[in-house]
Amino acid sequence: MATCMRAFGSCAIMALLFLSAALVSAQLSTDFYDTTCPNALGIIKGAVRAAVSNESRMGASLLRLHFHDCFVNGCDGSVLLDGDTGEKNAVPNKNSLRGFEVVDDIKAQLEDSCAQVVSCADILAVAARDSVVALGGPTWDVELGRRDGSTSSQDAANSDLPAPTLDLADLIKAFADKGLTAEDMVALSGAHTIGQARCVNFRDRLYSENATLDSKLATSLQTKCPSTDGNGDDTTSPLDPFTSYVFDNFYYKNLLCNKGLLHSDQQLFNGGSADAQTTGYASRRGAGFFDDFRAAMVKMGGIGVVTGTSGQVRVNCRIAN
């Protein structure tokens, strides 16, 4: 254990993806609401800190909402829309995504302060940053000015959100499809240093591939996650069993000890191309993981955004205007 803990498409298409992301990001700005809604960031920060203080797990839930929003039709707040055929009912999201009521509260406060100015997509981006900070993680300047979409696609969520069963090559491709590099993927995966996963998403790792999971951790998890499908599916366990409510680099340290809860987690340290980056993050938090995470979050926040006169600013984040 002591030794383990010390160890620390085509080119043209990819070029177009990165150029597109750069052009979109240029339309966003960190001071977007300085004049139109100067209290916006303070309102969001206060609400997030209150929510996380009330329930530490909420920080991870709000961060996850932003990720799941951006990976489906871009960062347009579509994950918040109600509806039977929307993203909320997709397999990766149903009975899993949380924090909608916190977003509702933030939106209501913002509407009282400056009606129909701050988009739901921007609320998600800022709330993700403030959640990380509230749990001891790094801060970054959030680029703002996203507009909200008016549609939500369950099919797109089912196809675009990376599954917990993916191997490394498929993870790299899923992120590349969104204009993110393999290095971005490893950095963003560090979000799993907080939060929890449902039994249904790691059952196979416990019983079908348990040779690659630390035996003591597997034994403790099996008491909460039985082998029978449908039995305890929604029971949750921490993605980081040691500091699950602190945003740190223990996620990567766990991987070096075969303690990745999800199959996709352990793929980052499994004899593949991500091993060196994972090892580096395990030994360097601030100048390593934190720096790369904040840069990757800004990059992810620019995926497929609509700005200017496109889209809308929803009055209620759950329904289109």
Side-chain angles (χ1 to χ4, degrees), residues 2-299:
T3 300
C4 178
M5 292 303 288
R6 285 197 300 267
F8 287 149
S10 70
C11 295
I13 291 175
M14 288 306 300
L16 288 173
L17 282 170
F18 291 134
L19 176 60
S20 175
L23 290 173
V24 166
S25 181
Q27 299 175 35
L28 303 176
S29 65
T30 58
D31 59 356
F32 188 81
Y33 296 113
D34 282 5
T35 301
T36 56
C37 193
N39 295 325
L41 297 185
I43 289 171
I44 299 172
K45 179 180 179 179
V48 168
R49 292 190 70 86
V52 173
S53 177
N54 183 59
E55 182 196 1
S56 296
R57 184 186 172 193
M58 187 55 66
S61 298
L62 292 172
L63 175 58
R64 188 164 180 250
L65 274 179
H66 181 44
F67 177 89
H68 280 230
D69 182 41
C70 290
F71 259 63
V72 183
N73 298 327
C75 311
D76 65 348
S78 57
V79 72
L80 302 172
L81 289 169
D82 288 338
D84 293 339
T85 60
E87 296 167 37
K88 286 182 178 179
N89 285 309
V91 172
N93 295 335
K94 190 173 183 178
N95 300 322
S96 178
L97 285 185
R98 308 169 70 251
F100 298 111
E101 294 79 9
V102 175
V103 176
D104 291 341
D105 175 59
I106 294 171
K107 183 59 174 173
Q109 292 186 51
L110 289 170
E111 288 299 304
D112 285 343
S113 181
C114 39
Q116 210 166 343
V117 171
V118 182
S119 69
C120 300
D122 276 348
I123 291 174
L124 291 180
V126 177
R129 187 270 310 275
D130 291 346
S131 294
V132 169
V133 173
L135 294 176
T139 189
W140 60 92
D141 293 329
V142 180
E143 296 181 333
L144 302 166
R146 300 165 189 78
R147 303 273 286 184
D148 296 325
S150 58
T151 61
S152 182
S153 173
Q154 183 178 143
D155 289 341
N158 282 328
S159 64
D160 290 6
L161 289 168
T165 55
L166 292 186
D167 292 332
L168 181 60
D170 292 325
L171 285 169
I172 291 173
K173 183 183 184 303
F175 280 71
D177 287 345
K178 303 301 178 183
L180 299 168
T181 67
E183 291 74 19
D184 294 329
M185 181 274 291
V186 177
L188 290 170
S189 295
H192 283 184
T193 197
I194 54 176
Q196 302 186 23
R198 297 160 64 218
C199 165
V200 69
N201 288 325
F202 60 84
R203 176 179 283 120
D204 285 348
R205 179 142 167 75
L206 292 184
Y207 299 99
S208 299
E209 54 174 276
N210 55 12
T212 64
L213 178 63
D214 177 80
S215 59
K216 289 184 178 179
L217 178 60
T219 299
S220 67
L221 290 171
Q222 286 169 354
T223 62
K224 300 175 62 177
C225 184
S227 61
T228 306
D229 288 347
N231 189 0
D233 283 0
D234 293 329
T235 301
T236 61
S237 290
L239 289 156
D240 169 8
F242 300 106
T243 58
S244 58
Y245 297 122
V246 179
F247 196 96
D248 54 23
N249 62 338
F250 261 76
Y251 167 76
Y252 300 102
K253 294 182 179 183
N254 294 335
L255 298 183
L256 302 192
C257 302
N258 291 325
K259 292 182 178 180
L261 182 62
L262 304 177
H263 173 85
S264 56
D265 288 331
Q266 197 58 56
Q267 288 294 295
L268 304 190
F269 190 77
N270 195 40
S273 59
D275 282 13
Q277 187 178 353
T278 296
T279 301
Y281 287 166
S283 62
R284 298 186 308 277
R285 184 184 68 174
F289 167 46
F290 277 12
D291 285 350
D292 290 352
F293 181 80
R294 58 165 63 96
M297 285 296 293
V298 172
K299 189 174 179 181

